[in-house]
Amino acid sequence: MPKWDLLLTDVQIATMVDADGYGAVGSPDALAAVAISAGQIAWIGTAAMAREESADVVRSLGGRWITPALIDCHTHLVFGGNRAAEFEQRQQGASYEEIARSGGGILSTVRATRDATADELFDAALPRANALAREGVATLEIKSGYGLNLATELRMLKVARRIGDETALDVRTTLLAAHTVPPEYSGNADGYIDFICGELLPAVADAGLADAVDAYCEGIAFTGPQVAKVFNAAKDLKLPVKLHADQLSDCGGAELAAQFKALSADHLEYTSVAGVQALADADAVAVLLPGAFLTLGETQHPPVQALRDFGVPIAIATDCNPGTSPICSIQTIMMLAARLFGLTPAECLGGVTRNAAKALGLNDRGTLAVGQRADIAVWNTSHPRELAYWHGTPQLAETLLAKAMLA
Ligand code: DI6
Ligand code: FE
């Protein structure tokens, strides 16, 4: 009677179980092995020991490194159209905030998204999702927030879920209705917040289409008290919250996220030390988004050293969106997090594995340990530090995913 479904042998493992480093198991002289049963990791040990054991399928990976499959914990991957014309305007000197205040920016994507059918949104988003999957991503968060009315927010969330249904990716959806004030509520942000709390959020929760609720707290978006209303409504519906916080100014976003025990506070360029302390006390994850920092030509860096000093887990993500981060490469983001924010290669890998899982409230993945989901990325690199080093050359050999094993 075979003990395990699958035995991967002759591997080196970056387990990512520790807050520092790679949690390496195995070495070129003493290779390791991982056994999998029912889509979960059942055993980790040495290849020498593993040969004594039995499994339905035994595969030698020839000394390759494996890591937890990657997690992109912050994307706006579903949207209509693109913003290349706005990019051109910005290259000619206009600022992101000027464009937003003159009705462009997020609102131009809202118009394009409202005009798009579900199939059109799906067909545009699928290649972006596939690009991430080709780099080892297995879990993908996708936010709404370009619909801003009931029909289009529901459509976006259903398209996001469909990406999960029709690919090997596990998709988590986040309602980001409080992204900007839609034209129907122009000059009446409070009215829109009441609509979110009274109608939109309950309808989305009722349809079971959101795993979390996000908001954009910023001078060009919503104030702290407005976000607090949305968060209270989310809490009433037992939905966890996250926040786009302190990206362009210090609006006390980190403190607000902490107050509501948010899973994560994202961006954080302008977060103060007090904000970092609040995140630490709330056990929230700091999600850093170097793609937006790069695209907007920001100069204010997130408080990386303070996050380290206070022990706040740091995740990194693509923020894939048409306005501020038209980037569908987690490998590029790892390189940018290293080069722009000074993260170490191990911090970059932890940021797209262990800490990204925590930012989504998922404790069944992001590390390779007994009992965890068998979501495994197999690499052609000679060391996992290469993942934040290379840029533009594929490093993934393959992914082995629990979803496919259980299908
Ligand atoms: N995430 C967001 O939601 C905003 N910036 C960011 O990094 C706006 C995205 C957009 O301009 O469409
Ligand atoms: Fe974002």
Side-chain angles (χ1 to χ4, degrees):
M1 186 71 184
K3 198 169 165 192
W4 297 312
D5 296 344
L6 173 65
L7 179 68
L8 302 173
T9 188
D10 305 325
V11 290
Q12 298 182 74
I13 311 171
T15 62
M16 304 313 290
V17 292
D18 308 318
D20 296 316
Y22 300 98
V25 173
S27 67
D29 301 332
L31 291 169
V34 180
I36 294 160
S37 274
Q40 286 190 347
I41 295 176
W43 177 86
I44 295 177
T46 66
M49 283 165 68
R51 287 200 184 89
E52 317 291 320
E53 309 289 344
S54 62
D56 281 339
V57 179
V58 179
R59 281 188 60 193
S60 167
L61 292 177
R64 282 194 176 81
W65 278 92
I66 62 173
T67 70
L70 309 187
I71 299 169
D72 192 351
C73 68
H74 178 143
T75 89
H76 312 246
L77 192 102
V78 172
F79 55 84
N82 69 60
R83 303 249 286 283
E86 179 186 309
F87 170 64
E88 202 159 48
Q89 273 178 285
R90 284 207 314 273
Q91 289 305 106
Q92 290 162 350
S95 77
Y96 181 71
E97 278 153 305
E98 276 162 19
I99 292 168
R101 290 192 193 280
S102 67
I106 296 175
L107 280 178
S108 76
T109 301
V110 170
R111 289 188 288 274
T113 304
R114 287 180 175 183
D115 284 348
T117 65
D119 282 345
E120 286 166 347
L121 292 174
F122 179 80
D123 291 347
L126 186 62
R128 299 192 272 266
N130 284 335
L132 291 167
R134 275 197 301 277
E135 292 187 339
V137 171
T139 301
L140 174 63
E141 187 253 17
I142 303 178
K143 302 176 195 295
S144 69
Y146 292 121
L148 314 184
N149 60 27
L150 182 58
T152 319
E153 288 291 301
L154 289 172
R155 185 155 77 244
M156 288 187 73
L157 292 167
K158 284 182 192 158
V159 167
R161 286 275 167 93
R162 188 176 153 203
I163 289 171
D165 293 341
E166 297 192 21
T167 68
L169 291 159
D170 191 30
V171 170
R172 315 300 294 183
T173 52
T174 301
L175 178 72
L176 176 57
H179 200 187
T180 195
V181 180
E184 309 78 67
Y185 286 91
S186 187
N188 182 17
D190 288 321
Y192 179 57
I193 292 290
D194 289 343
F195 163 72
I196 293 175
C197 298
E199 291 181 47
L200 186 50
L201 228 173
V204 167
D206 205 39
L209 282 171
D211 300 305
V213 171
D214 194 348
Y216 192 18
C217 188
E218 195 54 70
I220 54 169
F222 296 97
T223 64
Q226 289 166 340
V227 170
K229 275 193 175 178
V230 175
F231 281 3
N232 276 317
K235 292 267 152 166
D236 287 347
L237 294 164
K238 307 262 182 293
L239 285 168
V241 299
K242 317 168 70 68
L243 188 65
H244 281 72
D246 308 331
Q247 179 190 12
L248 306 171
S249 58
D250 181 3
C251 2
E255 290 90 336
L256 181 64
Q259 187 193 328
F260 282 88
K261 294 269 176 272
L263 290 172
S264 70
D266 303 33
H267 285 293
L268 304 179
E269 277 83 343
Y270 285 85
T271 297
S272 66
V273 172
V276 172
Q277 168 85 69
L279 291 177
D281 293 345
D283 194 30
V285 176
V287 180
L288 305 184
L289 304 167
F293 179 92
L294 175 79
T295 303
L296 294 180
E298 294 293 322
T299 52
Q300 172 83 23
H301 286 74
V304 170
Q305 193 52 48
L307 292 168
R308 287 180 184 130
D309 292 345
F310 284 95
V312 178
I314 300 174
I316 56 177
T318 62
D319 195 15
C320 175
N321 79 69
T324 64
S325 192
I327 299 176
C328 304
S329 167
I330 199 81
Q331 212 184 314
T332 300
I333 289 301
M334 291 170 76
M335 182 275 290
L336 291 177
R339 293 302 311 125
L340 297 176
F341 295 164
L343 267 59
T344 65
E347 285 175 322
C348 291
L349 187 55
V352 293
T353 54
R354 184 189 57 252
N355 296 341
K358 186 169 163 64
L360 295 178
L362 299 171
N363 57 18
D364 64 345
R365 66 195 77 184
T367 62
L368 295 180
V370 171
Q372 287 288 83
R373 251 171 101 93
D375 281 351
I376 297 171
V378 185
W379 302 97
N380 289 323
T381 54
S382 62
H383 192 277
R385 65 170 72 93
E386 287 182 46
L387 299 177
Y389 162 78
W390 294 111
H391 168 46
T393 47
Q395 305 302 328
L396 184 75
E398 62 179 311
T399 45
L400 300 162
L401 304 180
K403 189 172 165 183
M405 294 172 198
L406 298 172

